Amino acid sequence: MTKLVVLLDANIFPAVWLLDIMLTLDERQVIDAVWSERILEEARRALIERRGRTPEQVDRLLSFITPMNPTHCVYGWSRLESAIELPDPDDRHVLAAALVADADYIVTYNLKDFPDADLARYAVKAVHPDEFLSAMLERDQESIMNAMHAVVASKDNPPRTMSEELEHLRRCVSMGSPTVWSR
């Protein structure tokens, strides 16, 4: 099975439980998660301004993420940015990074700024985290469940059960809509 390349938008990083799942999927070679330095800068700001984390806490989190694999950070996207048309010009860099990375998906909560009509000419699709994880579960249930078990097993402060992990993940990704994780 071909490993999907998945660009994580900045709004995925503040949902640390979701981020944990995505990075575990990457670590287990189920997906190839990518981002750009600019995305990480936006995530850093969001974690500080919207989640009330201190700069030190955020820098510590990002210091664990950024060295995971040097190929995770996409470079060379800025040359494409000005040629991209999106409803919010501030999101052009996200699509540009996805194109340079040859990403299959942009995982984002911000779908309104990545309309299908604007992405139709590119080989990338923007998807909500729930839609992405649901599709991955259908595509490779064994790998997804193994990754979930690995995440649960890694939690010891405080320890969590699979039910607790799935419930929190459901709340993180659903934003109030029914999800595959509530089944």
Side-chain angles (χ1 to χ4, degrees), residues 59-77:
D59 291 342
R60 184 169 182 255
L61 171 67
L62 294 178
S63 75
F64 288 116
I65 294 170
T66 53
M68 285 178 59
N69 181 333
T71 64
H72 285 52
C73 197
V74 179
Y75 298 95
W77 52 265

Side-chain angles (χ1 to χ4, degrees), residues 155-169:
K155 303 303 176 195
D156 57 6
N157 190 14
R160 291 197 301 258
T161 65
M162 180 63 82
S163 295
E164 291 168 327
E165 187 72 22
L166 290 173
E167 175 59 23
H168 195 88
L169 180 62

Side-chain angles (χ1 to χ4, degrees), residues 35-167:
W35 48 76
S36 69
E37 287 181 344
R38 185 161 168 195
I39 288 171
L40 291 178
E41 288 168 14
E42 286 185 10
R44 183 179 190 281
R45 274 194 316 275
L47 282 160
I48 293 168
E49 295 170 8
R50 295 186 197 140
R51 296 291 180 157
R53 303 287 192 255
T54 67
E56 294 77 20
Q57 289 172 320
V58 175
D59 291 342
R60 184 169 182 255
L61 171 67
L62 294 178
S63 75
F64 288 116
I65 294 170
T66 53
M68 285 178 59
N69 181 333
T71 64
H72 285 52
C73 197
V74 179
Y75 298 95
W77 52 265
S78 60
R79 63 183 166 75
L80 299 178
E81 185 178 11
S82 63
I84 292 173
E85 297 280 333
L86 287 174
D88 183 352
D90 289 339
D91 286 321
R92 294 181 305 182
H93 72 96
V94 175
L95 178 54
L99 295 175
V100 169
D102 200 22
D104 299 289
Y105 295 100
I106 298 169
V107 176
T108 182
Y109 286 107
N110 188 18
L111 294 176
K112 69 178 174 36
D113 288 333
F114 297 97
D116 290 340
D118 290 341
L119 297 183
R121 63 182 178 169
Y122 305 110
V124 64
K125 181 177 175 164
V127 295
H128 187 279
D130 186 50
E131 180 183 352
F132 176 76
L133 290 173
S134 296
M136 289 301 299
L137 190 61
E138 289 178 20
R139 176 186 164 116
D140 188 356
Q141 182 175 358
E142 182 179 354
S143 293
I144 300 302
M145 293 312 296
N146 286 341
M148 290 296 299
H149 285 289
V151 168
V152 171
S154 73
K155 303 303 176 195
D156 57 6
N157 190 14
R160 291 197 301 258
T161 65
M162 180 63 82
S163 295
E164 291 168 327
E165 187 72 22
L166 290 173
E167 175 59 23

